[in-house]
Amino acid sequence: MRLDAIFHNGRFRTLDRGRPEASRIGVLNGRIAGLDEELDGCGADTVVDLGGAPAVPGFNDAHHHLSMAGKALRDLDVSHAAAPTLDALYEAVAQRAASLPAGAWVLGSGYDQNKIGGHPTAEALARAAGGRPVWLVHTSRHMAVASTEAFARAGFSDLASLPDVSGGCVVRDASGRAEGLLQETAMQLVEHVLRPEPTAEWVANIEAASRAALSVGLTSVTEPGIGVVDGPGNGPADLDAFLRARERGLLGVRMTLMPYITALREVGALEPGNTWYGLDLGLRTGFGDERLRIGPVKILSDGSLIGRSAAMCCDYHDTPGNSGLLQFEREQIHRFILEAHRCGWQVATHAIGDAALDVVLDSYEEAQRLHPRTDARHRIEHAAVTSEQQVARIAALGLIPVPQGRFLSEIGDGLLAALGPERSQLAYRMRSFLDAGVVLPGSTDAPVVRQDPLLSIHDMVNRRTASGAPIGPGEAVTAEEALRAYTIGSAHAVHEEHVKGTLARGMLGDFTVLSDDLLSVAPERIADLAVGATVVGGHIAHDTGALEVA
């Protein structure tokens, strides 16, 4: 038998309990045709030598804003690494403004007020940019700051004229004038003049992000939110941009796309006595193929922990009087979930605060009671603060929590400040979910933090903030559990464990070559590992020189 490719002289961790290790893998038509002795007598068009390097199933990020990450790569970087102080941020804005044509927008992202001492202001940004419009998105992507000219372009020449917004907040000074910071749904007051961006720009964002994802070993990504201008994504033709990127060979990773809830609508009669709520033509979760498919519908129920806008059961530790807010009224969240569930959607609801989580759990439970479905696998995106009772309820309802390991280090000190020492023990739980029998996925929420799976796995195992402080150490998992989360768990989270997550006959030929064995190195060394190559469907998509092709 002749195969497309044989990869040999490797140390494959297959995660298949029936055959946990292998040295050879053969691929035909993108799928694994056999391992080791099953390949005896087979030839291949391409033979690749791994040089004894270790390899694991391709990393799969269950919650990663790929298109947004690409935009961040192409816009001004005002993260702490690039602009470690407010003054440095203003200087970065000034330098970018000086390089642009007159009147062009200065667009940037990644700043964190927890690290630089405060938010930029509209007037200071205006001075830095020489009057050009400026729009800087916070690292959480749940708030942003506009300059005075940006407000004017949006129709608000008078900073006292901005309206209050349901589900969001316009931060004001003592006189009632907007200071510049817009939280949650209030961001739409300015974003409506920026989105949708031209399709060519969005395709370029997808291309840049795809290359970056492959370089860190990702072979699959689930993008949480596309298709609207009033939520995550770019606009109503987002799927078209992904299709164009795929058609041009620019989309190297496998994508599962979540339409945002406001893209769904009442379409009309599905059948006598029944209506359809969703996308036109009856499109819903599962449509597509192994390269590009529609996944769950995404709903935002609340905000951000480090932005102090997630809906909490009690006040934030460092901001008494503030317990966050819901993005929609409780009844609206309930209706969204019930209707999407009724019409066959898998539902993925962002719930960071424990108060928001209760609203979402109640809605999932009621949806299943009214319209029973087998193995719906509804998700809780982030599940950032969960009590023992909520963990048990998530398990009992068969839900999938999607916490982010990398948050623990990159923004962990901000989490500790927001929650305080006692409640931080409930943050981004992992061990508790596994012990409750829940299938745990792996994810980063990039570009909120770095997308590297190895860094995220390191944090899932070690659970320390950037300053070295422990954060919920009792919730640590083992390296193997973290690896299973980033492969089998993430595949399970979108009903794809039958084709992804393990290296076995019939599975997709996706794997990542590493510099050392992830399951053998000391836990504190996991972050030092590097990706040598990334293989998608038996094709080498990224290689730093780790592979030798015959």
Side-chain angles (χ1 to χ4, degrees), residues 461-505:
V461 173
N462 293 283
R463 294 189 70 100
R464 288 191 175 271
T465 71
S467 69
I471 178 166
E475 293 296 328
V477 300
T478 67
E480 182 174 357
E481 288 167 336
L483 175 59
R484 287 184 173 275
Y486 252 97
T487 50
I488 298 168
S490 293
H492 176 88
V494 285
H495 294 269
E496 286 195 305
E497 72 276 15
H498 62 291
V499 292
K500 296 178 182 177
T502 58
L503 299 176
R505 190 165 53 190

Side-chain angles (χ1 to χ4, degrees), residues 90 93-94 97-98 104 106 123-134 147:
Y90 291 133
V93 168
V106 178
E123 293 177 349
L125 286 174
R127 289 191 296 271
R132 288 178 176 81
V134 182
S147 68

Side-chain angles (χ1 to χ4, degrees), residues 220 352 370:
S220 292
I352 284 186
L370 292 174

Side-chain angles (χ1 to χ4, degrees), residues 250-261:
L250 307 177
L251 181 61
V253 292
R254 304 183 190 274
M255 293 297 304
T256 297
L257 304 176
M258 293 187 189
Y260 190 59
I261 187 63

Side-chain angles (χ1 to χ4, degrees), residues 67 70-71 74-75 107 196-208 234 241 248:
S67 57
K71 179 172 174 55
R74 301 176 69 231
D75 284 347
L107 302 175
E197 292 186 21
T199 299
E201 287 295 307
W202 215 246
V203 171
N205 293 342
I206 293 167
E207 178 188 11
N234 180 48
R248 297 172 190 173

Side-chain angles (χ1 to χ4, degrees), residues 95-316:
Q95 291 182 10
R96 175 58 67 94
S99 71
L100 297 173
W105 283 76
V106 178
L107 302 175
S109 64
Y111 87 89
D112 184 350
Q113 88 285 3
N114 296 285
K115 296 180 178 179
I116 63 175
H119 294 280
T121 67
E123 293 177 349
L125 286 174
R127 289 191 296 271
R132 288 178 176 81
V134 182
W135 180 245
L136 300 183
V137 180
H138 187 264
T139 188
S140 68
R141 268 61 186 179
H142 282 262
M143 60 189 73
V145 179
S147 68
T148 52
E149 176 61 19
F151 280 123
R153 298 270 185 107
F156 304 106
S157 297
D158 179 1
L159 295 185
S161 68
L162 274 78
D164 291 330
V165 177
S166 176
C169 177
V170 177
V171 176
R172 305 177 189 273
D173 63 19
S175 68
R177 298 175 75 248
E179 292 184 346
L181 179 64
L182 302 176
Q183 295 180 305
E184 306 300 342
T185 56
M187 294 169 65
Q188 296 166 25
L189 294 172
V190 171
E191 278 189 323
H192 78 273
V193 300
L194 294 170
R195 294 164 60 188
E197 292 186 21
T199 299
E201 287 295 307
W202 215 246
V203 171
N205 293 342
I206 293 167
E207 178 188 11
S210 178
R211 286 199 308 267
L214 290 167
S215 75
V216 296
L218 285 166
T219 59
S220 292
V221 166
T222 295
E223 172 134 357
I226 65 163
V228 298
V229 296
D230 61 345
N234 180 48
D238 281 349
L239 179 57
D240 173 70
F242 277 94
L243 284 167
R244 289 175 189 246
R246 174 182 173 170
E247 289 162 358
R248 297 172 190 173
L250 307 177
L251 181 61
V253 292
R254 304 183 190 274
M255 293 297 304
T256 297
L257 304 176
M258 293 187 189
Y260 190 59
I261 187 63
T262 54
L264 273 58
R265 62 187 181 87
E266 296 288 352
V267 176
L270 170 66
E271 58 190 5
N274 194 7
T275 58
W276 175 257
Y277 177 74
L279 301 177
D280 289 338
L281 304 177
L283 296 180
R284 62 170 173 84
T285 302
F287 178 80
D289 59 22
E290 293 159 355
R291 282 284 178 173
L292 185 63
R293 60 193 293 271
I294 295 175
V297 60
K298 167 75 178 292
I299 303 172
L300 281 168
S301 75
D302 69 342
S304 155
L305 267 184
I306 60 170
R308 281 57 168 186
S309 57
M312 306 292 289
C313 71
C314 52
D315 290 351
Y316 285 94

